[in-house]
Amino acid sequence: DLAEPSEIQRLGVRFINAIAVETLDQLPGLLVLPPASPSAMGLPIQEFMHQTRYSLSDYGYSLNVIQTIQPPSADDENLKLILDLDVFTEDTVEMAEEVLRKRLAEMRWIKNKAFFSILTPEAIGRFKE
């Protein structure tokens, strides 16, 4: 209110999810595209980080997806599968409230659609319990 900006340079919706897993062997049951070891080597995966950026040109948005594993902490012995989803635009956005509400609603829908597209039906079932 004090600065009274006339436009926004970057608008986004970001949500970081942490899903408890006991072992990395569970990842194929959770992720549609889980990390895989080179088949000729058969090495066990200790850690992974995967980042993909998608263009949603029909909307003028980008979707950045980061998938990684967080090691156990002193407070929690479980590994955490981290899914970081960021839907954003760097196109100039008008400050009108109705425009912002529409854009944020679209971004939330895209973020939710991406979240449920990344996870297997088995993983999604865990959230219903």
Side-chain angles (χ1 to χ4, degrees), residues 24-96:
L24 293 177
D25 295 337
Q26 290 180 282
L27 294 179
L30 299 173
L31 295 171
V32 171
L33 296 172
S37 178
S39 59
M41 298 179 76
L43 299 172
I45 296 171
Q46 288 184 299
E47 297 179 12
F48 79 98
M49 173 146 178
H50 184 90
Q51 178 177 352
T52 308
R53 181 168 290 177
Y54 302 94
S55 173
L56 293 98
S57 55
D58 290 348
Y59 292 92
Y61 302 144
S62 292
L63 167 64
N64 192 43
V65 177
I66 298 172
Q67 300 175 73
T68 191
I69 202 76
Q70 178 179 331
S73 67
D75 300 335
D76 188 351
E77 60 192 43
N78 285 320
L79 297 165
K80 298 280 191 298
L81 170 62
I82 305 296
L83 298 177
D84 179 346
L85 296 106
D86 182 20
V87 180
F88 64 95
T89 183
E90 292 177 334
D91 294 340
T92 302
V93 178
E94 181 185 347
M95 284 294 295

Coordinates of all heavy atoms in Angstrom, one line a residue, residues 24-96:
L24 N 14.9 -45.6 0.3 CA 14.9 -45.2 -1.1 C 14.2 -46.2 -2.0 O 13.8 -45.9 -3.1 CB 16.2 -44.8 -1.6 CG 16.9 -43.6 -0.9 CD1 18.3 -43.4 -1.5 CD2 16.0 -42.4 -1.1
D25 N 14.2 -47.5 -1.5 CA 13.5 -48.5 -2.3 C 12.0 -48.3 -2.5 O 11.4 -48.8 -3.4 CB 13.7 -49.9 -1.6 CG 15.1 -50.3 -1.6 OD1 15.9 -49.8 -2.5 OD2 15.5 -51.1 -0.7
Q26 N 11.4 -47.4 -1.7 CA 10.0 -47.0 -1.8 C 9.7 -46.1 -2.9 O 8.6 -45.9 -3.3 CB 9.5 -46.4 -0.5 CG 9.4 -47.4 0.7 CD 8.9 -46.6 1.9 OE1 9.7 -45.9 2.6 NE2 7.7 -46.8 2.2
L27 N 10.7 -45.4 -3.4 CA 10.5 -44.3 -4.4 C 9.7 -44.8 -5.7 O 8.9 -44.1 -6.2 CB 11.8 -43.6 -4.8 CG 12.5 -42.9 -3.7 CD1 13.8 -42.2 -4.1 CD2 11.5 -41.8 -3.1
P28 N 10.0 -46.0 -6.2 CA 9.2 -46.4 -7.4 C 7.7 -46.6 -7.1 O 6.9 -46.4 -8.0 CB 9.8 -47.8 -7.8 CG 11.2 -47.7 -7.3 CD 11.1 -46.9 -6.0
G29 N 7.4 -46.8 -5.9 CA 6.0 -46.9 -5.5 C 5.3 -45.5 -5.2 O 4.1 -45.4 -5.1
L30 N 6.2 -44.5 -5.2 CA 5.7 -43.1 -4.9 C 5.7 -42.2 -6.1 O 4.8 -41.4 -6.3 CB 6.5 -42.5 -3.8 CG 6.5 -43.2 -2.4 CD1 7.5 -42.6 -1.4 CD2 5.1 -43.2 -1.8
L31 N 6.8 -42.3 -6.9 CA 7.0 -41.3 -8.0 C 6.7 -42.0 -9.3 O 7.1 -43.1 -9.6 CB 8.5 -40.8 -8.0 CG 8.9 -40.0 -6.8 CD1 10.4 -39.7 -6.9 CD2 8.1 -38.7 -6.8
V32 N 6.0 -41.3 -10.2 CA 5.8 -41.8 -11.5 C 7.1 -42.0 -12.3 O 7.2 -43.0 -13.0 CB 4.8 -40.9 -12.3 CG1 4.7 -41.2 -13.8 CG2 3.4 -40.8 -11.6
L33 N 8.0 -41.1 -12.1 CA 9.3 -41.2 -12.7 C 10.4 -41.2 -11.6 O 11.0 -40.2 -11.4 CB 9.6 -40.1 -13.7 CG 8.6 -40.0 -14.9 CD1 8.8 -38.8 -15.7 CD2 8.9 -41.2 -15.8
P34 N 10.6 -42.3 -11.0 CA 11.6 -42.3 -9.9 C 13.0 -42.3 -10.4 O 13.3 -42.7 -11.6 CB 11.3 -43.7 -9.2 CG 10.8 -44.5 -10.3 CD 10.0 -43.6 -11.2
P35 N 14.0 -42.0 -9.6 CA 15.4 -42.0 -10.0 C 15.8 -43.5 -10.2 O 15.2 -44.4 -9.6 CB 16.2 -41.4 -8.8 CG 15.3 -41.6 -7.7 CD 13.9 -41.5 -8.2
A36 N 16.7 -43.7 -11.2 CA 17.1 -45.0 -11.5 C 18.6 -45.1 -11.6 O 19.2 -44.2 -12.1 CB 16.5 -45.5 -12.8
S37 N 19.2 -46.2 -11.2 CA 20.6 -46.5 -11.3 C 20.9 -46.9 -12.7 O 20.1 -47.5 -13.4 CB 21.0 -47.6 -10.3 OG 22.3 -47.9 -10.4
P38 N 22.1 -46.6 -13.2 CA 22.4 -47.1 -14.6 C 22.3 -48.6 -14.6 O 22.9 -49.3 -13.7 CB 23.9 -46.6 -14.7 CG 24.1 -45.5 -13.8 CD 23.1 -45.7 -12.7
S39 N 21.5 -49.2 -15.5 CA 21.2 -50.6 -15.4 C 22.5 -51.5 -15.5 O 22.5 -52.6 -15.0 CB 20.2 -50.9 -16.5 OG 20.8 -50.6 -17.8
A40 N 23.5 -51.1 -16.3 CA 24.7 -51.9 -16.4 C 25.5 -52.0 -15.2 O 26.3 -52.9 -15.0 CB 25.5 -51.3 -17.6
M41 N 25.2 -51.0 -14.2 CA 26.0 -51.0 -13.0 C 25.3 -51.5 -11.8 O 25.9 -52.1 -10.9 CB 26.6 -49.6 -12.8 CG 27.5 -49.1 -13.9 SD 28.1 -47.4 -13.6 CE 29.3 -47.7 -12.3
G42 N 24.0 -51.3 -11.8 CA 23.2 -51.8 -10.6 C 23.6 -51.2 -9.3 O 23.4 -51.8 -8.3
L43 N 24.0 -50.0 -9.3 CA 24.4 -49.3 -8.0 C 23.2 -48.8 -7.2 O 22.3 -48.3 -7.8 CB 25.3 -48.1 -8.3 CG 26.6 -48.4 -9.1 CD1 27.3 -47.1 -9.5 CD2 27.5 -49.3 -8.2
P44 N 23.2 -49.0 -5.9 CA 22.1 -48.5 -5.1 C 22.2 -46.9 -5.1 O 23.3 -46.4 -5.0 CB 22.4 -49.1 -3.7 CG 23.8 -49.4 -3.7 CD 24.2 -49.7 -5.1
I45 N 21.1 -46.3 -5.1 CA 21.0 -44.8 -5.0 C 21.1 -44.4 -3.5 O 20.4 -45.0 -2.7 CB 19.7 -44.3 -5.6 CG1 19.7 -44.7 -7.1 CG2 19.6 -42.8 -5.4 CD1 18.3 -44.4 -7.8
Q46 N 22.0 -43.5 -3.2 CA 22.1 -43.0 -1.9 C 21.4 -41.6 -1.7 O 20.8 -41.4 -0.7 CB 23.6 -42.8 -1.5 CG 24.4 -44.0 -1.3 CD 25.8 -43.7 -0.9 OE1 26.5 -43.1 -1.6 NE2 26.1 -44.2 0.3
E47 N 21.5 -40.8 -2.7 CA 20.9 -39.5 -2.7 C 20.5 -39.2 -4.2 O 21.1 -39.7 -5.1 CB 21.8 -38.4 -2.2 CG 22.3 -38.6 -0.8 CD 23.2 -37.5 -0.4 OE1 23.4 -36.5 -1.1 OE2 23.8 -37.6 0.7
F48 N 19.6 -38.2 -4.4 CA 19.3 -37.7 -5.7 C 18.7 -36.4 -5.6 O 18.1 -36.0 -4.6 CB 18.4 -38.7 -6.5 CG 16.9 -38.6 -6.1 CD1 16.0 -37.8 -6.8 CD2 16.4 -39.2 -5.0 CE1 14.7 -37.7 -6.5 CE2 15.1 -39.1 -4.6 CZ 14.2 -38.4 -5.4
M49 N 18.8 -35.6 -6.7 CA 18.2 -34.3 -6.9 C 17.9 -34.2 -8.3 O 18.8 -34.3 -9.2 CB 19.1 -33.2 -6.4 CG 18.5 -31.9 -6.7 SD 18.9 -30.7 -5.5 CE 18.1 -29.2 -6.2
H50 N 16.6 -33.9 -8.6 CA 16.2 -33.8 -10.0 C 15.4 -32.5 -10.2 O 14.5 -32.3 -9.4 CB 15.4 -35.0 -10.5 CG 15.0 -34.9 -11.9 ND1 15.8 -35.5 -12.9 CD2 13.9 -34.4 -12.5 CE1 15.2 -35.3 -14.0 NE2 14.1 -34.6 -13.8
Q51 N 15.8 -31.7 -11.1 CA 15.0 -30.4 -11.4 C 14.6 -30.4 -12.8 O 15.4 -30.7 -13.7 CB 15.9 -29.2 -11.0 CG 15.2 -27.9 -11.3 CD 16.0 -26.7 -10.9 OE1 17.0 -26.8 -10.3 NE2 15.5 -25.5 -11.3
T52 N 13.4 -30.1 -13.1 CA 12.8 -29.9 -14.4 C 12.0 -28.6 -14.5 O 11.2 -28.4 -13.6 CB 11.9 -31.1 -14.8 OG1 12.6 -32.3 -14.6 CG2 11.5 -31.0 -16.3
R53 N 12.2 -27.9 -15.5 CA 11.4 -26.7 -15.7 C 10.5 -26.9 -17.0 O 11.0 -27.3 -18.0 CB 12.2 -25.4 -15.9 CG 11.3 -24.2 -16.1 CD 12.0 -22.9 -16.0 NE 12.4 -22.7 -14.6 CZ 13.1 -21.7 -14.2 NH1 13.5 -20.8 -15.1 NH2 13.4 -21.5 -13.0
Y54 N 9.2 -26.7 -16.8 CA 8.3 -26.9 -17.9 C 7.7 -25.5 -18.3 O 7.6 -24.6 -17.5 CB 7.1 -27.8 -17.5 CG 7.5 -29.1 -17.0 CD1 7.7 -29.4 -15.7 CD2 7.7 -30.2 -17.9 CE1 8.1 -30.6 -15.2 CE2 8.1 -31.4 -17.5 CZ 8.3 -31.6 -16.1 OH 8.7 -32.9 -15.7
S55 N 7.4 -25.4 -19.6 CA 6.8 -24.1 -20.1 C 5.3 -24.4 -20.3 O 4.9 -25.3 -21.0 CB 7.5 -23.7 -21.4 OG 6.8 -22.7 -22.0
L56 N 4.5 -23.5 -19.8 CA 3.1 -23.6 -20.0 C 2.7 -22.3 -20.8 O 2.1 -21.4 -20.3 CB 2.3 -23.6 -18.7 CG 2.5 -24.8 -17.8 CD1 3.5 -24.7 -16.8 CD2 1.2 -25.3 -17.2
S57 N 3.2 -22.4 -22.1 CA 3.1 -21.2 -22.9 C 1.7 -20.7 -23.1 O 1.5 -19.5 -23.3 CB 3.8 -21.4 -24.2 OG 3.3 -22.6 -24.9
D58 N 0.7 -21.6 -23.1 CA -0.7 -21.1 -23.3 C -1.2 -20.2 -22.1 O -2.0 -19.4 -22.3 CB -1.7 -22.3 -23.3 CG -1.5 -23.1 -24.6 OD1 -0.9 -22.7 -25.5 OD2 -2.1 -24.3 -24.6
Y59 N -0.5 -20.3 -21.0 CA -0.9 -19.5 -19.8 C 0.2 -18.4 -19.6 O -0.1 -17.5 -18.8 CB -0.9 -20.3 -18.5 CG -2.0 -21.3 -18.5 CD1 -1.9 -22.6 -18.9 CD2 -3.3 -21.0 -17.9 CE1 -2.9 -23.5 -18.9 CE2 -4.3 -21.9 -17.9 CZ -4.2 -23.1 -18.3 OH -5.2 -24.0 -18.3
G60 N 1.3 -18.5 -20.2 CA 2.4 -17.6 -19.9 C 3.1 -17.9 -18.6 O 3.7 -17.0 -18.0
Y61 N 3.0 -19.1 -18.2 CA 3.7 -19.6 -16.9 C 4.8 -20.6 -17.1 O 4.9 -21.2 -18.2 CB 2.6 -20.2 -16.0 CG 1.4 -19.4 -15.6 CD1 0.2 -20.0 -15.5 CD2 1.5 -18.1 -15.4 CE1 -0.9 -19.3 -15.1 CE2 0.4 -17.3 -15.1 CZ -0.8 -17.9 -14.9 OH -1.9 -17.2 -14.6
S62 N 5.6 -20.7 -16.1 CA 6.6 -21.8 -16.1 C 6.3 -22.6 -14.8 O 5.8 -22.1 -13.8 CB 8.0 -21.2 -16.0 OG 8.3 -20.6 -17.2
L63 N 6.6 -23.9 -14.9 CA 6.5 -24.8 -13.7 C 7.9 -25.4 -13.5 O 8.5 -26.0 -14.3 CB 5.5 -25.9 -14.0 CG 5.5 -27.1 -13.1 CD1 5.1 -26.7 -11.7 CD2 4.6 -28.2 -13.6
N64 N 8.4 -25.1 -12.3 CA 9.7 -25.6 -11.9 C 9.4 -26.7 -10.8 O 8.7 -26.5 -9.8 CB 10.6 -24.5 -11.3 CG 12.0 -25.0 -11.1 OD1 12.6 -25.6 -12.0 ND2 12.6 -24.6 -10.0
V65 N 9.9 -27.9 -11.1 CA 9.7 -29.1 -10.2 C 11.1 -29.6 -9.7 O 11.9 -29.9 -10.6 CB 9.0 -30.2 -10.9 CG1 8.8 -31.4 -10.0 CG2 7.6 -29.7 -11.4
I66 N 11.3 -29.6 -8.4 CA 12.5 -30.2 -7.8 C 12.0 -31.4 -7.0 O 11.1 -31.3 -6.2 CB 13.2 -29.2 -6.9 CG1 13.7 -28.0 -7.8 CG2 14.4 -29.8 -6.2 CD1 14.2 -26.8 -7.0
Q67 N 12.7 -32.5 -7.3 CA 12.5 -33.7 -6.5 C 13.8 -34.1 -5.9 O 14.9 -34.2 -6.6 CB 12.0 -34.9 -7.4 CG 10.7 -34.6 -8.1 CD 10.4 -35.7 -9.1 OE1 10.0 -36.8 -8.7 NE2 10.6 -35.4 -10.4
T68 N 13.9 -34.4 -4.6 CA 15.1 -34.7 -3.9 C 14.8 -35.5 -2.6 O 13.6 -35.7 -2.3 CB 16.0 -33.5 -3.6 OG1 17.3 -33.9 -3.2 CG2 15.3 -32.6 -2.5
I69 N 15.8 -36.0 -2.0 CA 15.6 -36.7 -0.7 C 16.3 -35.9 0.4 O 17.4 -35.4 0.1 CB 16.1 -38.2 -0.9 CG1 15.4 -39.1 0.2 CG2 17.6 -38.3 -0.8 CD1 14.0 -39.4 -0.1
Q70 N 15.7 -35.8 1.5 CA 16.3 -35.2 2.7 C 16.7 -36.3 3.6 O 15.8 -37.1 4.0 CB 15.3 -34.2 3.3 CG 15.8 -33.5 4.5 CD 14.8 -32.6 5.1 OE1 13.9 -32.0 4.4 NE2 14.8 -32.4 6.4
P71 N 17.9 -36.3 4.1 CA 18.3 -37.4 5.0 C 17.6 -37.3 6.4 O 17.1 -36.2 6.7 CB 19.8 -37.2 5.2 CG 20.2 -35.9 4.6 CD 19.0 -35.4 3.8
P72 N 17.6 -38.4 7.1 CA 17.0 -38.3 8.5 C 17.6 -37.2 9.3 O 18.8 -36.9 9.2 CB 17.3 -39.7 9.1 CG 17.6 -40.5 7.9 CD 18.2 -39.6 6.9
S73 N 16.9 -36.7 10.2 CA 17.4 -35.6 11.2 C 17.4 -36.2 12.6 O 17.0 -37.3 12.8 CB 16.4 -34.4 11.1 OG 15.2 -34.7 11.7
A74 N 18.0 -35.4 13.5 CA 18.0 -35.9 14.9 C 16.6 -36.0 15.5 O 16.4 -36.9 16.3 CB 18.8 -34.9 15.7
D75 N 15.7 -35.3 15.0 CA 14.3 -35.3 15.5 C 13.4 -36.4 14.8 O 12.4 -36.8 15.3 CB 13.6 -34.0 15.3 CG 14.3 -32.9 16.0 OD1 15.0 -33.1 17.0 OD2 14.2 -31.7 15.6
D76 N 13.8 -36.8 13.6 CA 13.0 -37.8 12.8 C 13.9 -38.7 12.1 O 14.7 -38.3 11.3 CB 12.1 -37.0 11.8 CG 11.1 -37.8 11.1 OD1 11.1 -39.1 11.2 OD2 10.3 -37.2 10.4
E77 N 13.7 -40.0 12.3 CA 14.6 -41.0 11.7 C 14.2 -41.3 10.2 O 15.0 -42.0 9.6 CB 14.6 -42.3 12.5 CG 13.3 -42.9 12.6 CD 13.2 -44.0 13.7 OE1 13.8 -43.8 14.8 OE2 12.6 -45.0 13.4
N78 N 13.1 -40.8 9.7 CA 12.7 -41.1 8.4 C 13.4 -40.2 7.4 O 13.7 -39.0 7.6 CB 11.2 -40.9 8.2 CG 10.4 -42.0 8.8 OD1 10.8 -43.2 8.7 ND2 9.3 -41.7 9.4
L79 N 13.6 -40.7 6.2 CA 14.0 -39.9 5.0 C 12.8 -39.1 4.6 O 11.6 -39.5 4.9 CB 14.4 -40.8 3.9 CG 15.6 -41.7 4.0 CD1 15.6 -42.8 2.9 CD2 16.9 -40.9 4.0
K80 N 13.0 -38.0 3.9 CA 11.9 -37.2 3.4 C 12.0 -37.1 1.9 O 13.1 -36.6 1.4 CB 11.8 -35.9 4.0 CG 11.6 -35.8 5.5 CD 10.2 -36.0 5.9 CE 9.9 -35.8 7.3 NZ 10.5 -36.6 8.3
L81 N 11.0 -37.5 1.1 CA 11.0 -37.1 -0.3 C 10.5 -35.7 -0.4 O 9.4 -35.4 0.1 CB 10.0 -38.1 -1.0 CG 9.7 -37.7 -2.4 CD1 10.9 -37.7 -3.3 CD2 8.6 -38.7 -3.0
I82 N 11.3 -34.8 -0.9 CA 10.9 -33.4 -1.1 C 10.4 -33.2 -2.5 O 11.1 -33.5 -3.5 CB 12.1 -32.5 -0.8 CG1 12.7 -32.8 0.6 CG2 11.7 -31.0 -0.9 CD1 11.8 -32.5 1.8
L83 N 9.2 -32.6 -2.6 CA 8.7 -32.2 -3.9 C 8.4 -30.7 -3.8 O 7.6 -30.3 -3.0 CB 7.4 -32.9 -4.2 CG 7.4 -34.4 -4.4 CD1 6.0 -35.0 -4.6 CD2 8.3 -34.8 -5.5
D84 N 9.2 -30.0 -4.6 CA 9.1 -28.5 -4.5 C 8.6 -28.1 -5.9 O 9.2 -28.3 -6.9 CB 10.6 -28.0 -4.3 CG 10.6 -26.5 -4.3 OD1 9.7 -25.8 -4.7 OD2 11.7 -26.0 -4.0
L85 N 7.3 -27.5 -5.9 CA 6.7 -27.1 -7.1 C 6.5 -25.6 -7.1 O 5.9 -25.1 -6.1 CB 5.3 -27.8 -7.2 CG 5.4 -29.3 -7.4 CD1 5.0 -30.0 -6.1 CD2 4.6 -29.8 -8.5
D86 N 6.9 -25.0 -8.1 CA 6.9 -23.5 -8.2 C 6.3 -23.2 -9.6 O 6.9 -23.4 -10.6 CB 8.3 -22.9 -8.1 CG 8.3 -21.4 -8.2 OD1 7.3 -20.8 -7.9 OD2 9.4 -20.9 -8.4
V87 N 5.1 -22.6 -9.6 CA 4.4 -22.1 -10.8 C 4.5 -20.6 -10.8 O 4.2 -20.0 -9.8 CB 2.9 -22.5 -10.9 CG1 2.3 -22.0 -12.2 CG2 2.8 -24.0 -10.7
F88 N 5.1 -20.0 -11.9 CA 5.3 -18.6 -11.8 C 5.3 -18.0 -13.2 O 5.3 -18.7 -14.3 CB 6.7 -18.3 -11.2 CG 7.8 -18.8 -12.0 CD1 8.5 -18.0 -12.9 CD2 8.3 -20.1 -11.8 CE1 9.6 -18.5 -13.6 CE2 9.3 -20.7 -12.5 CZ 10.0 -19.8 -13.4
T89 N 5.2 -16.7 -13.2 CA 5.3 -15.9 -14.5 C 6.2 -14.8 -14.2 O 6.2 -14.2 -13.1 CB 4.0 -15.4 -15.0 OG1 4.2 -14.7 -16.3 CG2 3.3 -14.4 -14.1
E90 N 7.0 -14.4 -15.2 CA 7.9 -13.3 -15.1 C 7.4 -12.2 -16.0 O 8.1 -11.2 -16.2 CB 9.4 -13.7 -15.3 CG 9.9 -14.5 -14.2 CD 11.3 -15.0 -14.4 OE1 11.8 -15.1 -15.5 OE2 12.0 -15.2 -13.3
D91 N 6.3 -12.4 -16.6 CA 5.6 -11.4 -17.5 C 5.1 -10.4 -16.5 O 4.6 -10.7 -15.4 CB 4.5 -12.0 -18.3 CG 4.9 -13.0 -19.3 OD1 6.1 -12.9 -19.7 OD2 4.1 -13.8 -19.8
T92 N 5.0 -9.1 -16.9 CA 4.5 -8.1 -16.1 C 3.0 -8.3 -15.8 O 2.3 -8.6 -16.8 CB 4.7 -6.7 -16.7 OG1 6.1 -6.5 -16.9 CG2 4.1 -5.6 -15.9
V93 N 2.6 -8.2 -14.6 CA 1.2 -8.5 -14.2 C 0.6 -7.2 -13.7 O 1.2 -6.6 -12.8 CB 1.1 -9.6 -13.2 CG1 -0.4 -9.9 -12.7 CG2 1.7 -10.9 -13.7
E94 N -0.6 -6.9 -14.1 CA -1.3 -5.7 -13.7 C -1.7 -5.9 -12.2 O -2.0 -7.0 -11.8 CB -2.6 -5.6 -14.5 CG -3.5 -4.4 -14.2 CD -4.7 -4.4 -15.0 OE1 -4.8 -5.1 -16.0 OE2 -5.6 -3.6 -14.7
M95 N -1.7 -4.8 -11.4 CA -2.0 -4.9 -10.0 C -3.5 -5.0 -9.7 O -3.9 -5.0 -8.5 CB -1.5 -3.7 -9.3 CG 0.0 -3.7 -9.1 SD 0.5 -5.0 -8.0 CE -0.2 -4.4 -6.4
A96 N -4.4 -5.1 -10.7 CA -5.8 -5.2 -10.4 C -6.2 -6.5 -9.6 O -5.7 -7.5 -10.0 CB -6.6 -5.1 -11.7

